């Protein structure tokens, strides 16, 4: 089996239909039927029988989306279904599993937004990740685990929650956005479905919105594709071409971003005496639990958070930086910092979230040092 970087570049070579090295951007929403009346077939009863490689209408499937799914499937050793956002992927997971009870912890606010819609429309019961709540799971229910978690990249023990779910006949969905390949493979520790916001590290250039769901089961993959036709949440044509471009550099980007983030988190953690503005640094590399190294085999999350002494310092800090744009989101080649209170009302107002990009890490550390002096 070729390894990640090779697969990211060559994983779907056999599906190329023209000699172009970069598959052409294909924006067609509809595809011509055969001109031979004898070969025309009436639609059978039941759900639309979408066939990979035989595009009809782009909501059902299209060539660039299929190249993306095949490549990501090979990279992750699973079957991939691509969506028009990370949240569409989460919505599709819940639609497929249809839980009565959802155990969910701290994490991305948008996922809680989906859970609240399900509570409103379907009476979904939401519980925490505490043992006494996990014990209330029944057959077909769901644990939703985000690890490493937004915004502080704290790591949770995937195997522990997989065992808890499976003991009750429930399923474990892991949001692995903060640890893309090659950092973490949640399937190794028992996840049933793995989700990534491809807007972040898979995309990597802050220029596309997409999500993926991964499954080890071909049957589940087919069911997800069938649902997606009617949810109307297929990845868009143009975004697919951008994402294919991104997959070619996934490993290169993620490994460097991970190493730089680990170096910066260490620098901040060791500079608390010198720069008393630093109150606390949160990163998977600073977490001591034994399962952290076991899960994050390929390296630590390229996103982390730190707290300054007070809200005023945190509000000002981004304005003192040259190389970190003050913006939400993460995973791009450009470093970002966010005074996280801007988009999440559940976090400390003195917390800053940092997404480390591909700039030289020593330039980033010098930039942060100057900002620490300035607040
Ligand atoms: C961004 C993000 C999402 C949502 O993804 P979109 O592509 O914005 O829909 C879900 N989970 C995590 C951890 C994220 O960072």
């Amino acid at each position: 089996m070729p390894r990640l970087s090779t697969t990211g570049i060559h994983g779907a070579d056999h599906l190329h239909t023209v000699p172009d090295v970069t598959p052409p951007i294909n924006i067609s929403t509809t595809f011509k039927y055969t001109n031979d009346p004898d070969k025309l077939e009436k639609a059978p009863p039941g759900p639309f029988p979408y066939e990979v490689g035989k595009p009809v209408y782009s909501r059902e499937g299209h060539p660039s989306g299929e190249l993306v799914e095949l490549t990501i499937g090979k990279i992750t050793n699973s079957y991939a279904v691509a969506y028009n956002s990370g949240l569409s992927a989460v919505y599709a997971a819940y639609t497929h599993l249809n839980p009565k009870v959802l155990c969910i912890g701290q994490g991305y606010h948008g996922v809680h937004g989906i859970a609240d819609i399900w509570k409103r429309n379907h009476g979904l019961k939401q519980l925490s990740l505490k043992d006494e709540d996990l014990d209330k799971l029944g057959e077909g229910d769901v644990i939703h685990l985000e690890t490493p978690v937004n915004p502080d990249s704290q790591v949770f023990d995937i195997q522990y929650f997989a065992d808890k779910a499976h003991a009750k006949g429930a399923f474990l969905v892991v949001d692995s956005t903060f640890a893309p390949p090659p950092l973490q493979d949640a399937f190794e520790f028992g996840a049933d479905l793995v989700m990534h916001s491809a807007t972040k590290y898979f995309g990597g250039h802050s220029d596309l919105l997409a999500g993926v769901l991964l499954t080890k089961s071909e049957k589940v993959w087919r069911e997800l594709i069938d649902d997606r036709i009617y949810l109307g949440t297929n990845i868009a044509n143009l975004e697919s071409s951008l994402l294919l471009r991104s997959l070619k550099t996934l490993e290169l980007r993620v490994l460097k971003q991970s190493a730089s983030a680990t170096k910066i988190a260490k620098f901040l953690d060791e500079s608390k005496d010198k720069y008393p503005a630093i109150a606390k640094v949160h990163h998977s590399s600073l977490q001591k639990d034994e399962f952290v190294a076991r899960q994050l085999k390929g390296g630590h999350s390229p996103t982390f958070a730190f707290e300054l002494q007070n809200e005023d310092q945190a509000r000002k800090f981004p304005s003192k930086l040259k190389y970190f744009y003050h913006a939400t989101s993460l995973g791009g080649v450009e470093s970002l910092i966010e005074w996280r209170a801007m988009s999440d009302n559940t976090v400390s107002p003195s917390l800053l979230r940092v997404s480390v990009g591909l700039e030289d890490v020593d330039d980033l550390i010098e930039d942060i040092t100057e900002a620490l002096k300035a607040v």
Side-chain angles (χ1 to χ4, degrees):
M1 275 269 278
R3 297 163 184 83
L4 202 171
S5 280
T6 311
T7 307
I9 294 168
H10 294 291
D13 275 355
H14 64 289
L15 288 185
H16 288 195
T17 51
V18 290
D20 309 33
V21 164
T22 296
I25 293 172
N26 181 335
I27 54 174
S28 194
T29 53
T30 187
F31 301 83
K32 295 171 192 164
Y33 292 128
T34 170
N35 222 9
D36 179 351
D38 293 334
K39 294 212 173 109
L40 298 175
E41 284 173 33
K42 288 189 212 152
F48 186 82
Y50 182 71
E51 253 185 88
V52 175
K54 296 193 177 163
V56 175
Y57 182 59
S58 68
R59 174 164 45 73
E60 296 151 1
H62 52 82
S64 304
E66 288 169 3
L67 293 176
V68 162
E69 286 171 342
L70 198 84
T71 307
I72 294 181
K74 284 192 181 172
I75 284 173
T76 55
N77 197 18
S78 67
Y79 296 94
V81 186
Y83 295 89
N84 56 14
S85 74
L87 288 190
S88 285
V90 174
Y91 197 90
Y94 291 4
T95 303
H96 175 74
L97 297 171
N98 197 20
K100 304 278 174 287
V101 176
L102 177 74
C103 284
I104 184 168
Q106 161 206 348
Y108 189 75
H109 54 88
V111 175
H112 286 271
I114 294 180
D116 289 343
I117 291 175
W118 276 63
K119 187 170 158 186
R120 183 186 75 202
N121 288 355
H122 313 293
L124 176 72
K125 198 161 154 191
Q126 291 182 44
L127 299 174
S128 77
L129 295 178
K130 293 195 185 111
D131 277 346
E132 68 252 37
D133 279 350
L134 298 175
D135 288 341
K136 293 177 189 146
L137 287 166
E139 188 93 36
D141 289 334
V142 167
I143 298 178
H144 182 109
L145 186 70
E146 186 176 315
T147 185
V149 76
N150 184 49
D152 57 21
S153 85
Q154 199 204 330
V155 177
F156 294 91
D157 187 346
I158 299 172
Q159 187 74 59
Y160 179 82
F161 289 98
D163 292 346
K164 282 281 183 186
H166 298 154
K168 299 279 185 176
F171 298 101
L172 177 66
V173 177
V174 172
D175 181 339
S176 188
T177 301
F178 272 48
L183 305 182
Q184 167 174 284
D185 176 5
F187 286 123
E188 246 186 89
F189 309 101
D192 295 292
L193 283 175
V194 177
M195 170 266 167
H196 290 268
S197 166
T199 313
K200 314 296 169 54
Y201 291 98
F202 278 84
H205 295 69
S206 311
D207 60 5
L208 71 94
L209 195 68
V212 286
L213 268 189
L214 309 175
T215 167
K216 288 284 189 182
S217 154
E218 189 175 5
K219 177 170 169 283
V220 170
W221 172 79
R222 180 77 236 182
E223 288 165 3
L224 290 168
I225 295 271
D226 288 346
D227 277 358
R228 189 186 61 184
I229 291 175
Y230 300 115
L231 292 173
T233 48
N234 193 12
I235 186 171
N237 298 41
L238 265 178
E239 315 281 287
S240 305
S241 295
L242 290 169
L243 186 46
L244 275 174
R245 173 259 348 232
S246 299
L247 294 176
K248 298 180 188 189
T249 56
L250 177 67
E251 184 173 41
L252 197 62
R253 285 184 285 107
V254 169
L255 288 180
K256 177 161 178 184
Q257 286 169 286
S258 166
S260 296
T262 304
K263 189 167 176 183
I264 296 171
K266 183 166 188 272
F267 162 78
L268 284 167
D269 194 52
E270 289 174 354
S271 303
K272 282 191 214 134
D273 290 339
K274 195 161 178 203
Y275 303 108
I278 307 166
K280 215 170 179 182
V281 185
H282 307 274
H283 189 230
S284 54
S285 64
L286 303 171
Q287 192 181 335
K288 300 282 176 259
D289 301 290
E290 53 77 30
F291 54 81
V292 175
R294 186 155 38 91
Q295 273 174 209
L296 291 173
K297 277 202 181 113
H300 290 283
S301 177
T303 295
F304 70 97
F306 65 102
E307 289 174 58
L308 295 180
Q309 296 298 348
N310 57 54
E311 171 172 344
D312 186 55
Q313 287 173 333
R315 175 194 287 269
K316 287 193 180 124
F317 194 84
S319 70
K320 309 291 181 195
L321 292 161
K322 274 192 303 208
Y323 301 132
F324 293 79
Y325 295 121
H326 188 199
T328 196
S329 196
L330 53 113
V333 298
E334 316 81 7
S335 289
L336 302 180
I337 191 162
E338 183 181 27
W339 180 38
R340 192 61 186 158
M342 297 276 296
S343 57
D344 187 343
N345 60 20
T346 66
V347 301
S348 159
S350 48
L351 185 132
L352 293 154
R353 188 181 73 181
V354 182
S355 164
V356 179
L358 288 180
E359 301 90 344
D360 187 282
V361 65
D362 293 322
D363 287 332
L364 297 178
I365 289 177
E366 280 171 27
D367 197 19
I368 288 173
T369 305
E370 292 308 312
L372 285 169
K373 289 180 193 161
V375 297

